[in-house]
């Protein structure tokens, strides 16, 4: 599975959009991009995933560049409860599930 | 629908002892994975089970083992505990391997925090 690179930390103001970047320049054609987040003392929570098209759900939007070498997770209106570590992961879709977590981005939402 | 349930939530053991952790997946999920999280190494994959068979294994010593039962519930066991085994152990379940669930996300429990003294 391809490696990902994320900034170690970011912050944004409550109510503003949080844009979290991820670089996955070695991604291959059949690898998906997944985003999870982990709030202190809890298990990681699935946010969204995509292959090449932009995706949106009730939590966030995922923008994947045309060459698929990078992506951005967008939290449209960040709240204090969005303060967490955000992980960007790439994996090949298939029958066996193994996620390789990097260090993630620690997002701090300021009041 | 109930989420992934892990028991116990906290555990304190002594070096050399063994421990068994339990995980109940989301109803209908047959894939169960285990991860170890430590401050130094982050989240690391231990193993994955599907229909009582281990499908994938991470790079951990043989002291770490697991199994899955016919009802998809899973247990992991760590024998001859070492101080370095102190960690948060996370279980996750998924529909992966069940036809349409090939890209289904993992759903994690809140973990068992193991402290080895």
């Amino acid at each position: 599975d391809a490696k990902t690179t994320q900034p170690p930390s970011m912050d944004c103001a409550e109510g503003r959009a949080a844009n979290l970047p991820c670089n996955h320049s070695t991604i291959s054609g059949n690898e998906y991009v997944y985003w999870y987040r982990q709030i202190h003392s809890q298990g990681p929570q699935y946010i969204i995933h995509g292959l090449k098209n932009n995706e949106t759900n009730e939590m966030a939007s995922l923008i994947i560049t045309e060459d698929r070498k990078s992506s951005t997770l967008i939290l449209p209106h960040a709240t204090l409860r969005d303060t967490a570590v955000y992980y960007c992961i790439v994996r090949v879709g298939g029958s066996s599930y193994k996620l390789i977590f990097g260090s993630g981005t620690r997002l701090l939402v300021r009041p | 629908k109930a989420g992934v349930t892990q028991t116990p939530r906290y555990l304190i053991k002594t070096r050399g002892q063994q421990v068994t952790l339990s995980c109940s997946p989301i109803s209908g999920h047959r894939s169960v994975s285990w991860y170890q999280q430590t401050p130094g190494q982050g989240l690391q994959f231990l193993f994955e089970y599907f229909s009582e068979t281990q499908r994938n294994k991470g790079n951990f010593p043989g002291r770490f083992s697991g199994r899955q039962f016919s009802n998809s519930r899973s247990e992991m066991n760590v024998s001859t505990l070492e101080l370095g085994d102190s960690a948060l152990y996370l279980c996750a379940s998924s529909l992966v391997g069940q036809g349409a669930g090939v890209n289904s996300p993992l759903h994690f429990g809140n973990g068992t925090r193991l402290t080895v003294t």
Side-chain angles (χ1 to χ4, degrees):
Chain A
D1 294 335
K3 287 195 171 92
T4 61
T5 304
Q6 299 177 254
S9 64
M10 294 182 65
D11 66 66
C12 75
E14 189 177 20
R16 304 298 294 270
N19 297 290
L20 291 88
C22 179
N23 180 286
H24 31 79
S25 57
T26 61
I27 195 169
S28 55
N30 59 350
E31 287 187 306
Y32 286 73
V33 180
Y34 288 77
W35 283 84
Y36 286 78
R37 72 180 182 183
Q38 188 172 25
I39 296 169
H40 184 61
S41 297
Q42 297 181 19
Q45 176 190 25
Y46 166 77
I47 301 173
I48 198 167
H49 75 278
L51 182 62
K52 53 185 177 182
N53 297 320
N54 297 338
E55 302 287 345
T56 295
N57 63 20
E58 65 278 3
M59 287 182 70
S61 295
L62 173 60
I63 309 297
I64 303 174
T65 58
E66 196 166 334
D67 62 8
R68 303 211 321 121
K69 293 186 177 183
S70 66
S71 61
T72 301
L73 177 75
I74 300 173
L75 308 178
H77 305 287
T79 71
L80 299 179
R81 284 187 289 186
D82 291 322
T83 292
V85 178
Y86 288 76
Y87 296 98
C88 167
I89 302 158
V90 298
R91 71 170 278 266
V92 177
S95 61
S96 181
Y97 218 130
K98 173 182 175 181
L99 293 182
I100 299 176
F101 286 82
S103 302
T105 295
R106 188 173 297 274
L107 174 70
L108 174 64
V109 179
R110 295 177 279 103
Chain B
K1 198 183 249 190
V4 177
T5 304
Q6 292 187 246
T7 55
R9 188 77 173 92
Y10 300 93
L11 207 48
I12 300 174
K13 290 286 188 179
T14 304
R15 264 183 306 177
Q17 288 186 314
Q18 75 165 23
V19 67
T20 299
L21 311 181
S22 181
C23 172
S24 292
I26 290 173
S27 177
H29 288 192
R30 285 157 52 192
S31 168
V32 174
S33 306
W34 289 88
Y35 288 77
Q36 180 197 64
Q37 186 172 29
T38 60
Q41 299 297 319
L43 274 154
Q44 293 187 286
F45 172 79
L46 279 156
F47 26 67
E48 187 230 359
Y49 286 86
F50 181 81
S51 291
E52 302 177 66
T53 300
Q54 187 181 88
R55 287 200 299 199
N56 209 335
K57 189 175 188 303
N59 189 26
F60 278 81
R63 299 185 297 106
F64 292 82
S65 63
R67 60 178 176 167
Q68 187 181 33
F69 302 96
S70 58
N71 62 358
S72 295
R73 194 177 67 83
S74 178
E75 289 180 346
M76 68 162 282
N77 185 77
V78 188
S79 61
T80 319
L81 284 165
E82 301 176 0
L83 295 179
D85 297 333
S86 294
L88 181 67
Y89 289 89
L90 292 157
C91 171
S93 74
S94 171
L95 286 168
V96 165
Q98 295 173 231
V102 66
N103 292 311
S104 292
L106 280 183
H107 298 272
F108 284 84
N110 285 329
T112 293
R113 185 163 296 282
L114 172 65
T115 302
V116 182
T117 62

